[in-house]
């Protein structure tokens, strides 16, 4: 995995499966977070923006894992063994920064469509750029990094540390169902912890040219003043469900695809036929 495209291919495949399977849950979560006060959440069009999201998430996830895996290996080789958690955290942050170039515009278009701003991807991109300029596709970039860098770092660190602990306890590598369970746990925990950051990110990305919030601090103050502290936990149920299930699928598919590609590149030698 160290100097090959296997990590990127595995990450892209895993991300594609997760987004396609769990998209409606993500849409409900986004609408819960975007609505102000006691507004109603519309449950129609739960697949709005799916196609555009898949097109963007495939390369974005491939970039993340393609950067994360070699960075992790280099850090693990250069740091003492008792600092391997730091290697996982740092690799997650670096992977998140690298993939944000694609992930942010993908997320902006997706969330605008999820909240029924636009009917098609091309229309969404055209209107956003014409009204807000090219920078409109990167609306909420700072709040995105505020959410995703801790999220990526914490989720992958928990996952890697749990796998290490399991291997030591069981004296073997986790199998596919066990990888999925570890992935689900790490995803659910991280999703819950980072929900307030996700609410802030969603508010920035869906506000459009209205510019209701002048900055992250102003956004936090406004939400607290108008909706109370509970608003920062909007969508936590769907988010934990979505990322928990997504973690199970993502890490299960990731490890299986990595193994499949590794075996294809270096097939196991056939056992010699024993004479009877």
């Amino acid at each position: 995995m160290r100097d090959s495209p296997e990590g990127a291919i595995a990450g892209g495949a895993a991300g594609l499966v997760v987004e396609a399977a769990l998209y409606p849950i993500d849409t409900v979560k986004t609408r819960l977070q975007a609505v102000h006060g006691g507004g109603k959440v519309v449950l129609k069009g739960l697949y709005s923006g799916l196609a555009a999201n898949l097109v963007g998430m495939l390369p974005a996830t491939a970039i993340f894992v393609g950067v994360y895996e070699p960075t992790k290996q280099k850090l693990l080789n250069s740091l003492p063994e008792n600092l391997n958690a730091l290697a996982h955290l740092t690799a997650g942050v670096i992977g998140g920064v690298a993939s944000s170039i694609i992930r942010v515009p993908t997320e902006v278009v997706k969330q605008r469509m999820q909240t029924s701003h636009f009917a098609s991807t091309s229309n969404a991109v055209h209107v956003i750029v014409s009204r807000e300029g090219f920078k409109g596709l990167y609306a909420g970039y700072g709040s995105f990094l505020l959410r995703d860098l801790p999220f990526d770092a914490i989720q992958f660190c928990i996952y890697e540390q749990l796998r290490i602990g399991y291997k030591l306890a069981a004296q073997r590598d986790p199998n596919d169902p066990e990888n999925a369970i570890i992935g689900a746990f790490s995803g659910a925990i991280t999703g819950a912890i980072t929900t307030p950051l996700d609410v802030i990110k969603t508010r920035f990305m869906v506000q459009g040219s209205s510019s209701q919030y002048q900055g992250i601090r102003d956004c936090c103050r406004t939400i607290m003043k108008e909706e109370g502290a509970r608003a920062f936990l909007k969508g936590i149920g769907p988010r934990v469900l979505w990322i928990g299930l997504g973690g199970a699928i993502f890490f299960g598919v990731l490890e299986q695809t990595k193994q499949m590609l590794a075996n294809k590149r270096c097939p196991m030698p056939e056992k010699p036929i024993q004479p009877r």
Side-chain angles (χ1 to χ4, degrees):
M1 290 293 297
R2 199 170 298 179
D3 296 308
S4 74
E6 290 167 14
I9 295 171
L16 195 66
V17 172
V18 170
E19 291 298 323
L22 304 177
Y23 194 79
I25 303 175
D26 179 40
T27 301
V28 172
K29 182 272 303 181
T30 298
R31 291 176 181 175
L32 283 169
Q33 292 179 341
V35 71
H36 291 248
K40 293 182 179 179
V41 175
V42 179
L43 296 179
K44 293 181 180 179
L46 295 181
Y47 283 93
S48 297
L50 174 61
N53 192 50
L54 293 181
V55 170
M57 285 305 297
L58 181 60
T61 311
I63 290 171
F64 176 85
V65 181
V67 171
Y68 173 81
E69 287 287 348
T71 303
K72 176 188 75 174
Q73 292 298 336
K74 287 180 181 179
L75 290 171
L76 288 174
N77 291 336
S78 60
L79 292 173
E81 188 174 349
N82 63 335
L83 294 179
N84 58 14
L86 178 61
H88 297 141
L89 283 167
T90 305
V93 169
I94 294 172
V97 172
S99 63
S100 67
I101 297 172
I102 295 177
R103 286 167 80 175
V104 173
T106 300
E107 188 86 351
V108 169
V109 173
K110 178 195 77 171
Q111 293 203 316
R112 299 282 181 94
M113 294 186 72
Q114 284 177 327
T115 51
S116 304
H117 283 66
F118 307 101
S120 68
T121 304
S122 58
N123 174 247
V125 174
H126 174 73
V127 173
I128 291 170
V129 173
S130 63
R131 290 180 180 175
E132 305 167 49
F134 184 76
K135 66 179 182 180
L137 294 173
Y138 286 87
Y141 187 79
S143 60
F144 178 89
L145 293 181
L146 181 67
R147 181 205 69 172
D148 260 44
L149 297 189
F151 177 87
D152 291 333
I154 294 169
Q155 183 185 31
F156 273 77
C157 182
I158 292 175
Y159 175 74
E160 299 277 14
Q161 292 300 304
L162 287 176
R163 285 191 85 240
I164 291 171
Y166 186 91
K167 287 167 73 172
L168 290 173
Q171 296 297 305
R172 62 173 176 82
D173 287 332
N175 57 32
D176 290 338
E178 290 162 347
N179 280 323
I181 292 170
I182 294 171
F185 180 79
S186 60
I189 293 296
T190 311
I193 293 171
T194 57
T195 294
L197 302 177
D198 192 48
V199 171
I200 296 168
K201 186 268 312 175
T202 297
R203 292 294 178 91
F204 270 105
M205 287 190 167
V206 302
Q207 71 175 340
S209 57
S210 64
S211 298
Q212 178 184 358
Y213 307 113
Q214 302 305 314
I216 293 174
R217 185 179 298 179
D218 177 58
C219 179
C220 293
R221 261 200 313 259
T222 303
I223 293 173
M224 178 68 75
K225 180 181 177 181
E226 296 181 355
E227 303 170 64
R230 292 182 63 182
F232 288 102
L233 296 179
K234 280 188 172 183
I236 189 171
R239 179 169 168 79
V240 169
L241 177 63
W242 167 50
I243 299 179
L245 292 174
I249 297 171
F250 178 85
F251 287 109
V253 173
L254 178 69
E255 298 297 341
Q256 196 170 36
T257 307
K258 282 161 60 176
Q259 188 61 49
M260 180 184 69
L261 291 171
N263 291 341
K264 188 175 181 180
R265 189 182 63 171
C266 303
M268 296 289 290
E270 294 184 5
K271 293 182 179 179
I273 299 174
Q274 297 295 331
R276 295 182 180 179

